Amino acid sequence: MIVRSFKDLEGTDRHVKAATGTWESKRIVLAKEKVGFSLHETILYAGTETRMWYANHIEAVLCVEGEAELTDEETGEKHWIAPGTMYLLNGHERHTLRPKSDFRCVCVFNPPVTGREDHDENGVYPLITEPEEV
């Protein structure tokens, strides 16, 4: 059994800040736990814009605080995301999130991330795996 809090992660290698300065994420469950998914709390900052494309992952996002506009870059469709709203990127959709206030969400990734990922120039997380234990 694993028990940890987001507060426990502050200032550790599980507390990741984007090179772009638009978000930070606390990765509470990672690939090294070997449970088939990763679990994060992510905050995207008000007034920013983050373009993402999870070409290698499926992501579910549950908003728990704040509001943001979500744009599906493939269709142009826009969605207003507020607390209690979930979106699932089950088709590897290219998307943009524009928080109107600090936007706190809980995210689940499959395959799980290692905690070392950041978006590349296309908004993609690289597919990084943990070495197999011998």
Side-chain angles (χ1 to χ4, degrees):
M1 178 185 302
I2 297 170
V3 177
R4 63 176 63 108
S5 73
F6 291 124
K7 188 163 182 58
D8 294 340
L9 306 181
E10 290 178 13
T12 72
D13 62 350
R14 288 176 179 255
H15 188 179
V16 177
K17 297 184 181 184
T20 60
T22 62
W23 58 265
E24 67 180 83
S25 183
K26 294 175 186 161
R27 279 92 188 263
I28 200 160
V29 176
L30 290 171
K32 64 181 155 188
E33 274 84 52
K34 300 196 181 302
V35 295
F37 63 91
S38 58
L39 178 67
H40 320 171
E41 175 193 60
T42 300
I43 299 172
L44 294 101
Y45 305 123
T48 63
E49 178 177 288
T50 304
R51 293 181 180 271
M52 297 167 272
W53 174 36
Y54 295 118
N56 302 309
H57 300 85
I58 301 295
E59 182 192 29
V61 178
L62 175 63
C63 174
V64 295
E65 185 178 328
E67 296 181 322
E69 178 186 79
L70 172 68
T71 302
D72 181 331
E73 297 298 342
E74 296 174 21
T75 66
E77 189 173 4
K78 295 181 185 299
H79 304 274
W80 191 249
I81 309 298
T85 305
M86 183 278 310
Y87 63 92
L88 177 65
L89 300 162
N90 59 327
H92 304 283
E93 295 86 354
R94 294 174 192 260
H95 60 289
T96 302
L97 202 62
R98 294 177 186 89
K100 303 306 175 195
S101 55
D102 282 355
F103 182 82
R104 188 167 60 94
C105 53
V106 175
C107 311
V108 176
F109 279 85
N110 185 13
V113 302
T114 66
R116 300 184 302 274
E117 295 81 359
D118 196 351
H119 299 106
D120 68 13
E121 65 279 358
N122 296 309
V124 175
Y125 272 176
L127 186 57
I128 301 172
T129 57
E130 291 291 346
E132 290 296 319
E133 294 179 13
V134 181

